[in-house]
Amino acid sequence: MASYADHESSANDKRSTKKDNTPYDDVFRTLINDCRPLLFPLLNEIFGEHYTGEEPMIPSPNEHFLNQQDGNEVKRITDSSLTILADTVKHYLFECQTQPDSSMLIRIFEYATQIALDEGEIVQDTLKVTIPHSAILYLRSYHSTPDKLQIEITTPGGTVSFDVLITKIKDYSLDEIFEKNLLFLIPFYIFHYEGKSQLEELERSPGKLEQLKEELSVIVNHLEELVTQKKLDLYYCKTLLNMSDKVIKNLVSGYDTIMEGVKSVMGGTVLEYEAKTIYREGIIKGYHDGEAAGKATGFRSGEAAGFRNGEMSAKLESIQELMHNLKLTAEQAMQAIGIPVEDQAAYQEKLKSL
């Protein structure tokens, strides 16, 4: 039987050769950060929850420092650690994995126990910790890929275990994704066509390529229809399409015919990431307003003031939007967008004057 040390050695070997950030990791984290409301239907699907999407969702720090047996600290970055404030407070750990890999259990255990410790509290003489509900999204899966993994812990007080649930992108048809509103999965849908033999067939078969183009057209049209019906924010629509484009281009790199076919469908749609553009325009406007104010008051540092004012103005708008749409407190909203604790008092003062 393979020991933890055997698995850990294997896991370390994989980590040493695996890039810190793959394109798919980047896409997953972008979706987590930029399209957080789209997580609610997915959490409902994976964990059997019944979230409405109105519940406050608080992201946790994704960097954790783990103490190793040799006394050194190792930094681990989780894909998503978050808390939802509903009738009960629940913590979630959600990871994205390209390839099924049993060493993922070691990483999940590391992440889950560190998150539990970070969120734990000492009550009188007892340390109370809560293991987060954990799941992995597998972009590739096979007949042998299980529906769940399990972590078992033997303690002096008895043996306890918890499940790590598995979501496989290939288990969901396009119709099911739309029916269950699992829009978060759309950028990874192309993995239905993944595999060297499938890609080679797409490359040489106009009929097969046409089928892919038709499905991509369905995705684009459906998302745009949701925007028209005001069921999906334009920001999220453009993010999903932009991230889909990134995944597809990485997956079909080297297959020129497929690439051209994809461009014919997606090219004109995702050239402009409108949500980010709007945000940048807000920063630029704030910069110019601040620069003008700086010059009017005779400050030589008008440009620096412009940048600071523009940045603060954009963040204040984000805080207000989070407070209004997600019913967060000012402190929760500032934490959500990463404002340092030492700067929060200044933002609180500005909020009072708005």
Side-chain angles (χ1 to χ4, degrees):
M1 183 176 67
S3 68
Y4 166 83
D6 295 332
H7 279 297
E8 178 65 4
S9 175
S10 174
N12 284 335
D13 289 343
K14 289 181 175 65
R15 286 176 195 147
S16 67
T17 57
K18 178 180 178 290
K19 293 181 181 179
D20 290 337
N21 289 299
T22 71
Y24 311 129
D25 291 332
D26 292 342
V27 166
F28 187 80
R29 289 175 186 150
T30 297
L31 293 172
I32 293 288
N33 290 327
D34 290 4
C35 299
R36 205 166 290 143
L38 301 186
L39 270 173
F40 283 106
L42 191 56
L43 294 177
N44 290 342
E45 172 72 9
I46 296 172
F47 297 102
E49 304 287 5
H50 298 89
Y51 294 124
T52 64
E54 297 297 321
E55 296 83 359
M57 181 185 290
I58 311 300
S60 302
N62 68 346
E63 291 186 359
H64 300 277
F65 291 87
L66 311 178
N67 293 318
Q68 302 294 289
Q69 292 179 348
D70 61 4
N72 293 323
E73 282 190 335
V74 176
K75 183 169 74 172
R76 294 283 187 266
I77 299 178
T78 64
D79 286 340
S80 173
S81 171
L82 51 93
T83 300
I84 295 183
L85 310 179
D87 295 334
T88 59
V89 177
K90 288 191 177 181
H91 305 289
Y92 295 93
L93 172 62
F94 190 29
E95 293 288 306
C96 179
Q97 181 80 354
T98 305
Q99 190 83 10
D101 178 5
S102 61
S103 70
M104 188 71 186
L105 273 172
I106 298 170
R107 289 161 52 194
I108 288 289
F109 180 73
E110 289 177 342
Y111 299 157
T113 52
Q114 190 62 51
I115 290 167
L117 188 58
D118 290 345
E119 302 289 340
E121 61 176 341
I122 295 177
V123 179
Q124 295 181 344
D125 297 325
T126 302
L127 170 63
K128 295 188 174 184
V129 295
T130 301
I131 294 292
H133 299 267
S134 304
I136 305 171
L137 172 64
Y138 277 141
L139 304 183
R140 295 187 178 106
S141 58
Y142 312 99
H143 292 301
S144 60
T145 305
D147 293 326
K148 67 178 181 181
L149 303 172
Q150 191 173 69
I151 294 176
E152 185 176 286
I153 309 166
T154 300
T155 77
T159 299
V160 295
S161 64
F162 66 94
D163 292 336
V164 180
L165 303 182
I166 302 298
T167 297
K168 309 165 196 172
I169 192 68
K170 291 183 180 179
D171 281 352
Y172 291 92
S173 68
L174 200 52
D175 287 341
E176 194 170 12
I177 287 174
F178 291 146
E179 179 185 336
K180 295 184 175 182
N181 200 31
L182 303 177
L183 304 182
F184 188 95
L185 299 179
I186 281 178
F188 304 111
Y189 182 75
I190 186 64
F191 275 87
H192 277 265
Y193 292 88
E194 192 264 346
K196 185 176 180 181
S197 61
Q198 286 179 284
L199 291 175
E200 287 179 349
E201 187 175 5
L202 280 170
E203 182 74 2
R204 65 174 182 263
S205 171
K208 291 288 184 180
L209 181 56
E210 197 59 35
Q211 179 184 339
L212 171 60
K213 290 167 61 177
E214 286 176 5
E215 289 210 310
L216 294 178
S217 295
V218 168
I219 290 173
V220 172
N221 293 336
H222 185 83
L223 292 178
E224 291 181 345
E225 181 63 23
L226 289 176
V227 172
T228 301
Q229 296 172 358
K230 299 191 182 302
K231 295 180 179 179
L232 179 67
D233 193 278
L234 177 63
Y235 180 91
Y236 304 137
C237 174
K238 293 299 182 183
T239 305
L240 288 171
L241 292 173
N242 184 275
M243 294 300 104
S244 297
D245 188 59
K246 184 172 183 176
V247 172
I248 292 170
K249 286 181 177 177
N250 188 79
L251 200 63
V252 306
S253 176
Y255 294 90
D256 295 340
T257 302
I258 303 176
M259 188 75 79
E260 287 302 314
V262 168
K263 282 182 181 178
S264 68
V265 178
M266 305 288 287
T269 307
V270 297
L271 287 176
E272 186 53 43
Y273 193 178
E274 291 185 17
K276 295 292 187 183
T277 301
I278 291 169
Y279 179 79
R280 286 195 301 269
E281 288 175 351
I283 290 287
I284 292 169
K285 181 180 184 301
Y287 164 80
H288 287 307
D289 289 348
E291 183 182 26
K295 289 179 178 178
T297 53
F299 288 116
R300 295 177 62 187
S301 58
E303 290 188 7
F307 177 78
R308 289 194 300 272
N309 290 344
E311 185 179 39
M312 175 173 274
S313 176
K315 287 183 177 178
L316 285 168
E317 287 185 16
S318 297
I319 293 169
Q320 288 180 306
E321 184 177 345
L322 288 171
M323 292 173 67
H324 176 73
N325 293 339
L326 298 183
K327 307 298 187 290
L328 301 186
T329 65
E331 291 81 2
Q332 290 170 338
M334 286 188 284
Q335 178 186 352
I337 63 175
I339 294 176
V341 174
E342 60 270 20
D343 295 339
Q344 291 183 9
Y347 281 87
Q348 287 277 23
E349 287 301 313
K350 285 289 185 181
L351 285 169
K352 291 176 183 178
S353 65
L354 295 177

